[in-house]
Amino acid sequence: MESLATYLVVLSTATIRIGAYIFLRWIPGHHAPPVVLLSALLYAIAFISICQSQGWPTAAGRTPSSASSFNGKIEAERMLAAKSPGERRGGSKKERRTWAGWILLSGLPDPTSFQLTAATACINLLVCLFVADMVYRAPMMYPAHELSFSRVGYVSDTTASLIVREPRSSQLPIFVSYRNVPHGSGHAVDESWKAVGKAYWLSNETDYTFTMFINGLQPSSRYQYAVSNNQTGHFTTAPTAGHTAPDSDKLTFLTSSCIKPRFPYNPLSHPLSMPGFKHLARWIPDLKASFMLFLGDFIYIDVPRRLGSDPETYRREYRQVYSSPDWPSVSQYLPWIHVMDDHEIANDWDGNTTAPYPAAADPWHIYHTSVNPPPVSLGASYFQFTQGPASFFLMDTRRYRTPSQPLSANSSEKSMLGPEQLSHLLTFLSRREPEGVKWKFVISSIPFTRNWRFGSTDTWAGYLHERQIILEAMWSVSPGIGVVVLSGDRHEFAATAFPPPEGSRWPVSATVHEFSTSPLSMFYLPFRTYEERDGEGEACVKYVPDGNSKFGAVEVMGGKGDQGVMRFRLFIDGEEVWDHVLTTGLTVIGGRGSDAIWG
């Protein structure tokens, strides 16, 4: 019986520690917490059984006589028998250290040392507390009901959108105003604040938020807004379509996806801290980006564990991100624009608007679409806009799709976008752009390439018929205009080229490129899932899987002429690791690195 208990102690200790390490530092999957906690229960039972068999006093049987007998001859002989051969001989220091190491590693009790026994048990207890802390501390202790914040959303050349949250009735009514803050130290700040509007009443219906739109602004101008509840921030209006700002020769914006507070886990960090935000914040002043295109998984409702499917549970997740101590550093000078992905609803979501989509969409509309670019049509959750030398179409790849199973990827009955959104996308691709607009960016929350082989049915690899229709429309875009797909979701980075088929009616210069970048602050996959295969017509330009924090900076060059130029810069864990330049109007695809074929 004791040998079985010994086996269970060693096995459960290994499961607790290895499982917790993977969960806390590698992948915070929802399977790990119950496995770790069940192993802890088995460990406790087996551990107590061994202690009893070795003659350790227990709470139930501890009396003066039993305590005395524990130190008596019988127990001493039993303890001696339990010693290693080296210890029976007196043992060297090395042997004693080895024995102590085995006790700490295995989780077994040592009848010769109460300190070692307590230490190894406490290690397992502490690890289990870390797991429980990761799962429950933030949602239970930081619901963020008192969150007071503001942020800027979409900014055009003449307007800016602003969302404010204020749950304190004592702050009502809330006034919003703004002023012009010229670039550079040689220009005087406009001291006259202009009123935007006021909110007299806020309620739980909108989670105590309201949106305001600042109109009548000047293109390429810097402004500061202020809210009467002591919130403030800055934004710069976009240049007019086809142009860049007078003091710049390019439009810069950022792209990434996937964030989860306090991952990788650090018990000393704030429960709502975002390690990836710290890397991003360090680069914001240098990059001078106009906005962040965040491509989904702003929350992880089901990671590490779903605690509800009601609107308030989803709302809490959004509030926690905006309550992060690291959020102001990435938002005070940077507007954010959003698309939705599965973890804002449920993993690999393909259920259209069935439950829990209505509950998930509630805070999504409150906090994100309310200050996104205008929807393409009334009630739609996909968007388009033009800014400077680039135009954008932000797809919704969740709300309108048909189920990924059981139809095959090539079935004409499967759709990622639905007929109306597909029609609007094809119109966007075929329309003429204003003079000076050289790039069309198609934004997808999931990868466009099929080269990711793990979980591919959830990506465009599971909807190849519709993807081919879109690809042909992309190849047919007016000469001189490049098409780039930006995506996220995979927790890795890859750049992929989609050249037209050889001998087709499209020139090589019509090649479409995709840059898929994630996560901004989350795990990366410990195994390789991206692979280029012959005959599929999708060329790997660059593949970088590792890194808990990844984001891209897209620089779209302005200037006159027929050729458009853009540069993609990749940042991983705070360091710039790669860049790539694309041009339009040429017949040469950008060079492929030595890692172009995954291996």
Side-chain angles (χ1 to χ4, degrees):
M1 185 67 180
E2 184 175 345
S3 62
L4 175 60
T6 300
Y7 174 79
L8 285 176
V9 164
V10 175
L11 179 62
S12 59
T13 294
T15 303
I16 290 169
R17 298 180 186 182
I18 295 174
Y21 179 82
I22 293 174
F23 174 73
L24 298 172
R25 304 291 300 179
W26 223 352
I27 300 179
H30 62 273
H31 299 294
V35 171
V36 169
L37 297 179
L38 177 60
S39 298
L41 177 61
L42 294 176
Y43 172 79
I45 295 172
F47 184 89
I48 293 173
S49 174
I50 293 176
C51 288
Q52 290 176 336
S53 68
Q54 291 178 346
W56 286 73
T58 62
R62 187 162 189 169
T63 63
S65 60
S66 65
S68 176
S69 66
F70 177 74
N71 293 305
K73 181 178 179 181
I74 296 176
E75 280 69 24
E77 291 175 351
R78 185 176 296 166
M79 290 160 56
L80 180 63
K83 290 183 178 181
S84 67
E87 288 177 304
R88 293 172 192 167
R89 295 191 302 268
S92 66
K93 289 184 178 180
K94 181 178 180 182
E95 289 172 323
R96 289 196 294 272
R97 286 196 300 268
T98 301
W99 177 252
W102 166 245
I103 294 299
L104 294 176
L105 183 65
S106 66
L108 288 167
D110 180 5
T112 68
S113 174
F114 174 80
Q115 290 82 0
L116 279 177
T117 299
T120 195
C122 285
I123 290 174
N124 285 350
L125 175 62
L126 188 62
V127 167
C128 291
L129 290 176
F130 286 161
V131 171
D133 181 50
M134 176 70 175
V135 176
Y136 297 109
R137 186 179 175 191
M140 298 301 180
M141 300 183 66
Y142 294 85
H145 290 302
E146 301 305 315
L147 167 66
S148 175
F149 94 110
S150 63
R151 78 167 181 91
V152 177
Y154 171 64
V155 179
S156 72
D157 54 345
T158 60
T159 66
S161 54
L162 177 71
I163 181 172
V164 179
R165 185 179 195 271
E166 182 51 75
R168 297 170 296 177
S169 59
S170 61
Q171 297 294 315
L172 298 174
I174 296 179
F175 301 86
V176 178
S177 55
Y178 74 98
R179 65 178 178 177
N180 183 245
V181 184
H183 293 279
S185 58
H187 300 82
V189 174
D190 185 359
E191 297 296 341
S192 61
W193 289 87
K194 301 175 180 62
V196 179
K198 64 181 70 174
Y200 291 97
W201 182 254
L202 298 174
S203 71
N204 188 57
E205 183 179 354
T206 60
D207 205 19
Y208 302 97
T209 68
F210 69 96
T211 58
M212 283 198 174
F213 301 93
I214 306 174
N215 301 309
L217 305 176
Q218 296 298 312
S220 303
S221 300
R222 189 167 182 260
Y223 294 90
Q224 179 185 12
Y225 74 87
V227 188
S228 59
N229 64 350
N230 294 323
Q231 301 289 330
T232 188
H234 296 77
F235 62 89
T236 301
T237 50
T240 55
H243 299 80
T244 56
D247 59 348
S248 177
D249 62 350
K250 61 189 177 185
L251 168 72
T252 301
F253 64 92
L254 309 180
T255 178
S256 189
S257 71
C258 307
I259 55 176
K260 181 67 182 177
R262 200 167 49 159
F263 193 86
Y265 176 79
N266 181 344
L268 302 180
S269 297
H270 191 285
L272 302 181
S273 65
M274 292 282 188
F277 282 1
K278 294 179 174 65
H279 297 309
L280 175 61
R282 186 163 61 87
W283 279 98
I284 287 176
D286 294 333
L287 294 174
K288 297 179 173 60
S290 296
F291 55 90
M292 161 66 82
L293 268 180
F294 196 79
L295 309 186
D297 292 344
F298 186 77
I299 67 167
Y300 275 75
I301 192 65
D302 47 5
V303 175
R305 186 173 181 84
R306 177 184 285 274
L307 299 178
S309 298
D310 57 293
E312 172 54 28
T313 301
Y314 283 94
R315 287 181 177 187
R316 183 193 64 223
E317 295 286 327
Y318 283 83
R319 293 195 304 265
Q320 287 177 333
V321 175
Y322 289 125
S323 296
S324 170
D326 302 307
W327 169 255
S329 66
V330 298
S331 62
Q332 189 172 14
Y333 297 95
L334 182 68
W336 285 53
I337 299 172
H338 293 266
V339 297
M340 179 185 257
D341 201 25
D342 57 336
H343 288 288
E344 278 110 339
I345 313 167
N347 187 43
D348 293 347
W349 180 253
D350 61 0
N352 301 120
T353 57
T354 60
Y357 181 87
D362 170 79
W364 159 250
H365 292 309
I366 289 173
Y367 286 101
H368 289 175
T369 66
S370 61
V371 288
N372 253 9
V376 175
S377 61
L378 185 64
S381 49
Y382 48 94
F383 314 88
Q384 69 180 43
F385 65 98
T386 299
Q387 191 155 124
S391 62
F392 300 82
F393 190 100
L394 282 59
M395 297 187 291
D396 184 336
T397 63
R398 294 295 171 184
R399 177 183 176 185
Y400 305 97
R401 68 159 67 185
T402 55
S404 58
Q405 300 289 345
L407 297 175
S408 70
N410 291 300
S411 172
S412 61
E413 298 179 19
K414 290 183 70 174
S415 175
M416 179 78 73
L417 305 180
E420 185 174 348
Q421 183 179 188
L422 176 61
S423 175
H424 283 132
L425 174 59
L426 297 179
T427 299
F428 165 81
L429 292 170
S430 63
R431 77 178 187 187
R432 293 183 61 86
E433 297 292 343
E435 184 178 358
V437 174
K438 300 297 183 183
W439 296 92
K440 291 178 184 281
F441 289 92
V442 177
I443 312 304
S444 174
S445 65
I446 53 172
F448 202 64
T449 179
R450 75 177 96 177
N451 287 349
W452 265 293
R453 309 295 171 174
F454 177 77
S456 59
T457 57
D458 183 58
T459 72
W460 280 98
Y463 297 79
L464 294 178
H465 176 81
E466 187 172 64
R467 192 190 74 147
Q468 184 64 24
I469 295 173
I470 297 170
L471 265 176
E472 292 181 5
M474 290 175 172
W475 291 328
S476 301
V477 165
S478 301
I481 295 182
V483 179
V484 173
V485 178
L486 299 176
S487 65
D489 179 66
R490 294 283 93 179
H491 295 223
E492 298 179 318
F493 170 82
T496 309
F498 302 84
E502 292 185 10
S504 66
R505 58 188 176 91
W506 300 286
V508 176
S509 59
T511 296
V512 174
H513 292 82
E514 177 184 20
F515 299 94
S516 187
T517 313
S518 65
L520 179 56
S521 191
M522 218 339 187
F523 71 88
Y524 66 90
L525 292 176
F527 47 89
R528 304 303 176 243
T529 63
Y530 181 99
E531 178 185 3
E532 176 186 341
R533 293 179 181 173
D534 294 338
E536 292 186 345
E538 300 176 29
C540 175
V541 179
K542 186 72 173 180
Y543 175 47
V544 186
D546 295 348
N548 290 111
S549 177
K550 306 184 188 75
F551 67 90
V554 182
E555 300 174 345
V556 185
M557 312 304 172
K560 298 180 180 179
D562 295 333
Q563 188 177 93
V565 180
M566 68 146 282
R567 178 188 182 199
F568 185 93
R569 301 167 64 185
L570 176 64
F571 299 83
I572 298 182
D573 294 334
E575 301 297 329
E576 184 172 3
V577 300
W578 183 73
D579 72 337
H580 192 65
V581 176
L582 298 177
T583 60
T584 64
L586 296 179
T587 58
V588 178
I589 305 174
R592 296 171 61 185
S594 60
D595 63 343
I597 297 179
W598 170 85

